[in-house]
Amino acid sequence: MTTRLTISGFDYRTIPGADGVNLNVAVGGSGPAVVLLHGFPQTHYMWRHVAARLADDHRVIVPDLRGYGDSDKPDGSDPATYSKRTMAQDIVTVASALGVDHFGLVGHDRGALVAVRAGLDHPAVVDYLGILDVLPTLDTWAVLQGVDAKVAWHLYLMAQPVGLPEKMIRAVAPEFFGSFLDAWDPSGTTFTHEERAHYIDSSVAAVDSIVADYRATASIDLEMDRADRERGAQLAMPVGVISQDWGSQLGFDAASLWRAWARDLTYQPTASGHFMAEENPVEIATFITTLATRPNARNHRVVPGK
């Protein structure tokens, strides 16, 4: 039985995204729109504390990504089904159905990869882009070198051809997903028992689609990033990145990597763990509201040369 949790005070709707795939979407507050995208192994519920703070001044839209939570989980045999391009189109389509033609976009982990693709593919729609604790797809694979890269072992597992990764994960699915909730929570106190159960139950019910999402990052998403790099594509809107200091362990400069993709970038390290939106929601809500007030956060589309 899946433990289902919802964001208090938010309305819930089922809204078709790209190709008619239905997304579970929480909506609350009023004001300029901001869309919040969750990471792994979580659901939209990870934004509950941040969403409540933003709702005083924003219309906050919080979906489950396709393949996660209570959103549809289409078959992933076609690589495009879980490409970040398709998942980004989900978000633009859902926002449009809500009467929103432009919005701020903030993503954590997997959701941040969807947000980046939305920023590259739909620059006229995304007012500003917030990125929590992830690197661009192309750069992620480039920095995973040597024994220190074992922190990302699951990326390699889920990059394998269809069949074996799904079977292996299903055999120990609660332990598999629970291991990330435990390893990436330095305090060990970020989640209640009910919250931890919600994330594990939701992920156990979505093994195939989660693996398909990750597999796309080692194939079709990587190809898209390479093509963008070759043509010099950049994110036109203001971009803010907040991250743990993975670079000191793996030998890269996160700010420099992101600056190659973003013309207007701020980078902010955090002492919080990976699940920063739940561990320190005040810090993340402040990060987002500050980003929303950046110059050109809503008019980058008309700046000459942009």
Side-chain angles (χ1 to χ4, degrees), residues 158-163 165-166 210-220:
M158 291 191 275
Q160 302 308 310
V162 176
E166 293 88 343
I210 289 175
V211 175
D213 168 33
Y214 272 85
R215 184 176 288 117
T217 299
S219 55
I220 190 169

Side-chain angles (χ1 to χ4, degrees), residues 21-25 63-74:
V21 171
N22 288 317
L23 268 62
N24 175 54
V25 185
D64 283 330
L65 297 170
R66 68 162 59 197
Y68 290 81
D70 288 324
S71 290
D72 284 354
K73 301 168 181 63

Side-chain angles (χ1 to χ4, degrees), residues 7 12-13 23-27 34-38 43-45 47 60-66 68 71 90-91 94 105-106:
I7 301 175
Y12 278 77
R13 310 180 193 186
L23 268 62
N24 175 54
V25 185
V27 183
V34 59
V35 179
L36 308 177
L37 304 180
H38 67 85
T43 69
H44 79 283
Y45 186 72
W47 289 109
V60 187
I61 302 168
V62 199
D64 283 330
L65 297 170
R66 68 162 59 197
Y68 290 81
S71 290
D90 281 340
I91 305 311
V94 164
L105 184 56
V106 182

Side-chain angles (χ1 to χ4, degrees), residues 207-229:
V207 170
D208 288 356
S209 52
I210 289 175
V211 175
D213 168 33
Y214 272 85
R215 184 176 288 117
T217 299
S219 55
I220 190 169
D221 296 338
L222 186 58
E223 294 166 8
M224 291 177 188
D225 266 23
R226 284 174 176 153
D228 283 335
R229 177 58 59 82

Side-chain angles (χ1 to χ4, degrees), residues 40-293:
F40 164 90
Q42 297 178 286
T43 69
H44 79 283
Y45 186 72
M46 63 153 281
W47 289 109
R48 62 199 177 281
H49 303 308
V50 173
R53 286 168 169 80
L54 295 178
D56 289 340
D57 301 300
H58 295 79
R59 188 180 189 195
V60 187
I61 302 168
V62 199
D64 283 330
L65 297 170
R66 68 162 59 197
Y68 290 81
D70 288 324
S71 290
D72 284 354
K73 301 168 181 63
D75 177 78
S77 55
D78 180 349
T81 301
Y82 287 95
S83 75
K84 302 309 157 291
R85 174 159 289 154
T86 300
M87 296 172 80
Q89 185 61 58
D90 281 340
I91 305 311
V92 174
T93 302
V94 164
S96 179
L98 291 169
V100 175
D101 61 4
H102 65 97
F103 48 84
L105 184 56
V106 182
H108 175 248
D109 188 70
R110 308 303 298 169
L113 300 181
V114 176
V116 169
R117 178 47 55 190
L120 289 167
D121 287 359
H122 305 278
V125 173
V126 180
D127 293 333
Y128 57 88
L129 186 61
I131 298 163
L132 276 61
D133 217 34
V134 79
L135 291 175
T137 297
L138 181 61
D139 300 297
T140 295
W141 292 108
V143 303
L144 292 177
Q145 305 291 331
V147 69
D148 287 334
K150 66 182 182 294
V151 68
W153 65 276
H154 59 298
L155 298 183
Y156 292 95
L157 172 63
M158 291 191 275
Q160 302 308 310
V162 176
L164 186 59
E166 293 88 343
K167 185 175 182 179
M168 292 174 67
I169 292 169
R170 272 195 294 271
V172 289
E175 294 85 355
F176 177 80
F177 294 113
S179 70
F180 299 103
L181 295 172
D182 297 339
W184 297 342
D185 176 19
S187 71
T189 61
T190 299
F191 311 117
T192 66
H193 175 77
E194 185 180 29
E195 290 161 357
R196 188 177 185 277
H198 165 71
Y199 293 137
I200 291 175
D201 291 348
S202 296
S203 296
V204 168
V207 170
D208 288 356
S209 52
I210 289 175
V211 175
D213 168 33
Y214 272 85
R215 184 176 288 117
T217 299
S219 55
I220 190 169
D221 296 338
L222 186 58
E223 294 166 8
M224 291 177 188
D225 266 23
R226 284 174 176 153
D228 283 335
R229 177 58 59 82
E230 289 173 3
R231 69 185 180 89
Q234 288 188 312
L235 295 159
M237 66 291 302
V239 176
V241 177
I242 184 168
S243 180
Q244 300 177 88
D245 186 16
W246 290 109
S248 62
Q249 177 180 346
L250 297 177
F252 65 86
D253 181 344
S256 294
L257 294 178
W258 275 113
R259 196 163 287 113
W261 291 94
R263 297 174 174 135
D264 182 359
L265 176 80
T266 58
Y267 177 82
Q268 177 180 332
T270 179
S272 297
H274 182 63
F275 302 113
M276 55 191 71
E278 291 162 288
E279 184 180 341
N280 195 344
V282 173
E283 178 184 41
I284 300 307
T286 300
F287 165 78
I288 295 170
T289 55
T290 300
L291 181 58
T293 60

